Structure formats: structure tokens, C-alpha cells
Amino acid sequence: MAVQQPPPPVAVPPSPNRPPISLQPSHRRGPSKPAKLLRRFRSVFRSLPIITPAACKMPVSLQGSRPGDGHVHGSGTRMTGTLFGYRKARVNLAIQENPRCLPILILELAIPTGKLLQDMGTGLVRIALECEKNPSEKTKIMQEPIWTLYCNGRKSGYAVRREPTDDDLCVMQLLHAVSMGAGVLPSDSMVSAADAAVDGELAYLRAHFERVVGSRDSETYHMMSPEGNNGTELSIFFVRI
């Protein structure tokens, strides 16, 4: 008796609500593909609990000479930054050359999306990302795979750089015509749409960021206020020590 062969797997068609990706490559060279070790670390990182940072005093090195000092714009390059994620899940940070370009950086931070957006609505937020400097390596600072995360001076877990997923690109595509704004995105076009029932709405905040390069071991992104004043709700510091 002939043995029947199992039927070939049926390809799952993409969601009809998923927009076609029309984002263009950035003129800047993006990070290299993560190594196998990084992929293993990221799988462990996702299994760790989310840490909700408490408010605490900021280090003087991140605050400036006086409490409440704002960053003065005009000394760096303007980029597009997007914070997005399900409200109860970890927040993601995407950096683009402009809203119509593919992201040059995707970071997953061990902070709940809703918590970070709430803190930004009530006061200044400073995120410091630190990693160890290795003089024998020539890795660019934005290509570092793993960072220790500090939110307003308190250690809050880790941040991991990763390649853009289909959902990341879908979010960027849905926001390709948005230069600044905040709101909620429809989750029915996402691969992870089922997560919305557990992790809440898919929220986002997009703004212009001023990129300031201090040295090969330090880089800062300051959110630019839409009102045009010198204040900023969020600054992100990348530092190798």
C-alpha cells in the first residue's frame, strides 16, 4: 500500500489590513545584523519581568548645571524618533532619518509603554543607556547590541538593539505621513494583534529629535518641543564607559 504524503503547508496570507511597505532605505548606514549570541540574549531578555522605575533624583551629569535646565536646540542633526508599543508591554524606540525612511535603529527598552508615556506627560524624562567600552573594537556606538538602562537615574533593566520586525515596519508605514503626534494605532493589521487583548492598546508618540554627537563614545537625542521653546520632555543619552 502506498504511503500517502502529508499535504504541503498552506501559506498564511497577509492581513488585508496590513499596509504595503513603501519606506525607502536611509542614506545613513544602519546597524549590522545581530550576532547569534545577541539573538540568544534577546530571547532571555524577553522572559525577564518588566521593571517599573520609580522617580528619583537625576545625576548632575545628565541634568546640567541647574535643576530644570533645558536643552538649547540648534547644535545637532534633526532626526525622527518614535516610541511605540502595547501599553502594558515593553516600549520600543525607532530612529529614522525622516518618516518615509526605513529605521536605522530599533531598541527594545525594559519599561512599559504606558508608564513611559505617562511620565513624559507629567515631567522631564532622562534615559541613559550605558555599555562597556572595548578599546580593541571599532564598533560604532549606535551599533552596540546591549545597553544597561537608567530612567531618571534609576537602573531599570536593559535595552536591546534588534532588527525591525514586520510589526515594526507596519507601524512605521502607518505613520509615514506623521511628523509629530501621539495616539493609538489599529492593532488588527499587526502579526501580534492577539497581544492587544492582554497588553492593551498599541500606543505611539512621534517627534523630531535633535541628534548631538559628543564623541565616538557618546551620542544624545533630545526631543524637540513643538512649541519651539528650549524645554524637552525626553532626552536619551548613549554612553560607552
Side-chain angles (χ1 to χ4, degrees):
M1 179 181 295
V3 178
Q4 292 184 347
Q5 296 294 329
V10 179
V12 179
S15 169
N17 297 319
R18 179 178 290 273
I21 304 301
S22 62
L23 301 173
Q24 301 299 313
S26 173
H27 296 297
R28 300 176 184 272
R29 179 174 295 181
S32 59
K33 190 174 182 179
K36 186 176 181 180
L37 178 61
L38 173 59
R39 296 180 187 275
R40 292 180 178 176
F41 178 87
R42 190 166 65 234
S43 64
V44 175
F45 169 77
R46 289 178 179 274
S47 66
L48 297 175
I50 297 176
I51 299 175
T52 302
C56 68
K57 186 177 179 180
M58 280 295 300
V60 175
S61 60
L62 298 185
Q63 275 189 302
S65 58
R66 299 189 308 273
D69 277 355
H71 171 71
V72 179
H73 301 308
S75 58
T77 304
R78 191 170 77 168
M79 308 288 287
T80 296
T82 309
L83 296 165
F84 65 97
Y86 293 102
R87 290 191 182 275
K88 298 179 183 179
R90 293 183 175 93
V91 67
N92 302 285
L93 169 67
I95 299 294
Q96 299 166 275
E97 188 174 345
N98 62 63
R100 298 182 182 274
C101 285
L102 292 167
I104 61 175
L105 176 69
I106 295 284
L107 280 181
E108 184 176 334
L109 313 179
I111 303 175
T113 304
K115 171 63 176 173
L116 180 59
L117 297 181
Q118 179 182 6
D119 289 348
M120 290 176 60
T122 58
L124 302 180
V125 175
R126 299 291 183 266
I127 293 177
L129 301 171
E130 295 184 357
C131 69
E132 186 176 351
K133 178 166 54 176
N134 189 342
S136 63
E137 295 184 359
K138 297 183 179 180
T139 304
K140 294 182 179 180
I141 187 169
M142 301 306 292
Q143 294 179 353
E144 294 287 353
I146 303 168
W147 302 83
T148 302
L149 169 64
Y150 296 86
C151 184
N152 283 354
R154 181 179 292 274
K155 187 174 181 180
S156 305
Y158 294 91
V160 177
R161 175 177 58 81
R162 58 176 172 77
E163 293 295 304
T165 65
D166 289 342
D167 279 354
D168 295 333
L169 296 179
C170 185
V171 170
M172 298 299 103
Q173 182 64 41
L174 289 171
L175 297 176
H176 77 281
V178 178
S179 58
M180 304 180 73
V184 176
L185 292 173
S187 59
D188 55 353
S189 59
M190 305 296 167
V191 174
S192 58
D195 295 340
V198 177
D199 295 328
E201 300 172 315
L202 180 59
Y204 76 91
L205 184 149
R206 167 165 284 183
H208 295 306
F209 280 75
E210 187 176 36
R211 173 178 177 257
V212 179
V213 178
S215 69
R216 67 184 304 272
D217 295 317
S218 66
E219 198 163 310
T220 307
Y221 288 79
H222 299 284
M223 179 183 288
M224 301 173 68
S225 172
E227 287 79 16
N229 55 41
N230 290 335
T232 177
E233 297 176 352
L234 174 66
S235 289
I236 304 173
F237 302 83
F238 294 84
V239 183
R240 279 192 292 215
I241 56 176

